């Protein structure tokens, strides 16, 4: 039996948390042979509800769950955490400006970063799901100077998976035969889903893609899929978001499949002209618990313009929270 790993989850009583916890407990994230200790973090008004979730995890008698901690104390929740999935955040209220939203979330992700800096495993792998995810990850990273900066990532895997589904349906192929999809930039409506490197069963897809469909249907559908789900379901994506968070951590921890890559928002390092200072989604390959940005892809002017626009948005977000960095 492997030693258990500690997984901290914030916003654990929310809708994404409710999907995430049971899939992790079932071994979908780190494998059916990896015991887990769940460290669930909430704010006081949601603690009662979190207790209900814990009761349900207990009642599921998952063989892999070694222990469950439910807390409102950050240092207890992040104690020795090997993975931290930061889901809880402040939603945009009526009349709230983007800058207000960013700074309200800064008040959440700053203390969380500082707590992980104090008590988490020195190699804790952090995935930020709560929006605005990229900038929240930047704030957490800035408040955790003793942890490896590259361990702070944000989720664009849901966008990546949405792009696979849209392209598969359009090309009448199963999404599993699609390789090398890329989401560039921010998890927002400026993100750029890029088909130029995609191949299906080993053949480049672009010669079969209608440019009008690409520009006026595919890209906007992927960018605005979150809003379409809210309209249809009356609530934001939850099961698909949890599933994508599991994909993100699984591939980071256990490696990406051969001949493929995934989209992860990671600290920019100058690759593809995106200067350091933002958490930007790139095509990444993972091996042995480390990610690497895929290098050497050709970027045409169409892509360049869109990659720069989403970078620009991230730089503006950064400016709005500069005092928290
Ligand atoms: P819910 O409102 O259902 O749950 C959020 C939970 O977080 C609540 O239980 C709340 O009590 C808790 N919370 C709030 N502040 C907290 C804090 N400081 N510490 C700990 N817990 C805290 O939202 P849900 O649908 O689960 O969505 C959570 C976040 O994911 C939102 O910010 C949402 O915008 C974001 N999303 C991100 C996606 C992505 O692809 N990156 C996609 C799905 C989702 O929209």
């Amino acid at each position: 039996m492997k030693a258990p790993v500690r997984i901290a989850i914030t916003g654990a009583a929310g809708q994404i948390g409710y999907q995430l916890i049971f899939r992790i407990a079932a071994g979908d994230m780190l494998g059916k042979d990896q015991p887990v200790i769940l460290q669930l973090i909430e704010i006081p008004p949601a603690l009662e509800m979190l207790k209900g979730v814990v009761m349900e995890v207990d009642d599921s008698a998952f063989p892999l769950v070694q222990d469950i901690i439910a807390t409102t104390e950050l240092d207890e929740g992040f104690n020795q955490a090997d993975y931290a999935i930061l889901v809880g955040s402040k939603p945009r209220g009526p009349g709230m400006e983007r800058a207000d939203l960013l700074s309200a979330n800064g008040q959440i992700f700053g203390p969380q970063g500082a707590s992980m800096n104090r008590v988490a495993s020195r190699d804790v792998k952090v995935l930020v799901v709560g929006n605005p995810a990229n900038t929240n990850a930047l704030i957490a990273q800035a408040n955790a100077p003793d942890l490896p900066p590259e361990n702070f990532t944000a989720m664009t895997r849901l966008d990546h998976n949405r792009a696979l589904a849209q392209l598969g349906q359009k090309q009448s192929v199963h999404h599993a035969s699609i390789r090398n999809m890329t989401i560039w930039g921010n998890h927002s409506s400026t993100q750029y889903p890029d088909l130029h490197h995609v191949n299906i069963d080993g053949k480049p897809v672009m010669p079969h893609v209608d440019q009008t469909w690409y520009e006026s249907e595919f890209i906007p559908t992927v960018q605005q899929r979150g809003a379409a789900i809210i309209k249809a379901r009356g609530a934001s994506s939850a099961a698909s978001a949890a599933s994508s968070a599991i994909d993100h951590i699984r591939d980071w921890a256990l490696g990406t499949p051969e001949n493929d890559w995934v989209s992860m928002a990671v600290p920019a390092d100058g690759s593809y002209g995106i200067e350091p200072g933002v958490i930007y989604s790139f095509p990444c390959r993972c091996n042995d618990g480390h990610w690497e940005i895929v290098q050497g892809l050709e970027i045409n002017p169409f892509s360049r313009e869109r990659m720069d626009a989403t970078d620009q948005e991230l730089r503006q977000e950064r400016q709005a929270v500069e005092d928290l960095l």
Side-chain angles (χ1 to χ4, degrees):
M1 195 71 156
K2 290 182 179 174
V5 298
R6 293 176 179 271
I7 302 166
I9 302 172
T10 69
Q15 3 162 44
I16 294 175
Y18 193 65
Q19 301 290 331
L20 193 55
I21 290 165
F22 292 85
R23 298 251 337 249
I24 294 173
D28 290 352
M29 189 166 82
L30 296 172
K32 303 282 179 194
D33 60 345
Q34 178 58 66
V36 294
I37 296 171
L38 299 171
Q39 306 190 163
L40 310 178
I41 305 171
E42 261 295 351
I43 47 175
L47 189 59
E48 228 13 69
M49 194 167 177
L50 182 60
K51 285 182 182 160
V53 176
V54 171
M55 286 159 73
E56 282 203 76
V57 178
D58 284 341
D59 295 350
S60 306
F62 287 111
L64 292 176
V65 175
Q66 298 289 302
D67 196 7
I68 316 174
I69 293 152
T71 183
T72 57
E73 298 296 327
L74 294 180
D75 283 5
E76 188 185 2
F78 288 121
N79 186 33
Q80 296 178 61
D82 300 291
Y83 297 90
I85 308 180
L86 309 185
V87 181
S89 66
K90 199 170 175 64
R92 194 173 193 151
M96 204 175 187
E97 296 294 328
R98 197 167 172 83
D100 299 336
L101 178 73
L102 285 160
S103 97
N105 278 296
Q107 310 306 327
I108 296 178
F109 290 85
Q112 290 180 355
S115 172
M116 288 188 282
N117 197 52
R118 281 191 297 275
V119 300
S121 151
R122 296 300 83 188
D123 191 35
V124 60
K125 291 182 165 51
V126 181
L127 167 61
V128 176
V129 174
N131 281 321
N134 301 51
T135 298
N136 288 342
L138 190 69
I139 294 167
Q141 181 200 48
N143 285 273
D146 304 328
L147 298 175
E150 68 273 17
N151 280 17
F152 288 79
T153 69
M155 187 165 94
T156 49
R157 185 61 176 269
L158 178 56
D159 310 296
H160 179 106
N161 289 342
R162 286 166 170 168
L164 292 177
Q166 291 301 316
L167 181 65
Q169 284 166 19
K170 178 71 176 174
Q171 297 284 325
S172 303
V173 298
H174 191 269
H175 44 262
S177 58
I178 305 173
R179 300 269 181 280
N180 302 344
M181 180 67 74
T182 305
I183 304 291
W184 299 98
N186 199 2
H187 169 70
S188 77
S189 58
T190 66
Q191 65 176 267
Y192 169 46
D194 183 1
L195 294 182
H196 291 91
H197 314 288
V198 168
N199 61 76
I200 298 183
D201 292 326
K203 297 190 190 72
V205 78
M206 269 320 253
H208 310 287
V209 169
D210 172 58
Q211 189 67 21
T212 308
W213 173 79
Y214 182 38
E215 281 185 53
S216 29
E217 275 193 57
F218 175 78
I219 294 177
T221 299
V222 175
Q223 287 172 331
Q224 287 151 31
R225 185 68 162 180
I229 303 270
I230 293 175
K231 190 156 174 260
R233 209 174 80 86
S236 58
S237 338
S240 55
S243 194
S244 299
I246 282 174
D247 289 347
H248 178 114
I249 297 277
R250 185 199 56 229
D251 289 344
W252 186 3
L254 307 179
T256 37
E258 288 252 322
N259 305 325
D260 204 1
W261 64 61
V262 295
S263 302
M264 296 170 70
V266 298
D269 65 356
S271 298
Y272 299 102
I274 307 299
E275 294 307 318
V278 292
I279 307 267
Y280 187 100
S281 181
F282 289 96
C284 291
R285 287 203 181 94
C286 306
N287 189 22
D288 210 16
H290 299 282
W291 56 261
E292 238 180 49
I293 297 172
V294 174
Q295 298 295 330
L297 301 177
E298 210 173 295
I299 305 298
N300 67 16
F302 179 91
S303 296
R304 186 76 258 166
E305 193 184 316
R306 282 157 184 78
M307 288 163 65
D308 288 346
T310 190
D311 184 31
Q312 200 55 40
E313 184 185 46
L314 281 168
R315 308 261 159 205
Q316 284 163 3
E317 288 188 11
R318 188 194 155 100
Q319 235 172 21
V321 299
E322 203 73 58
D323 54 321
L324 299 164
L325 301 178

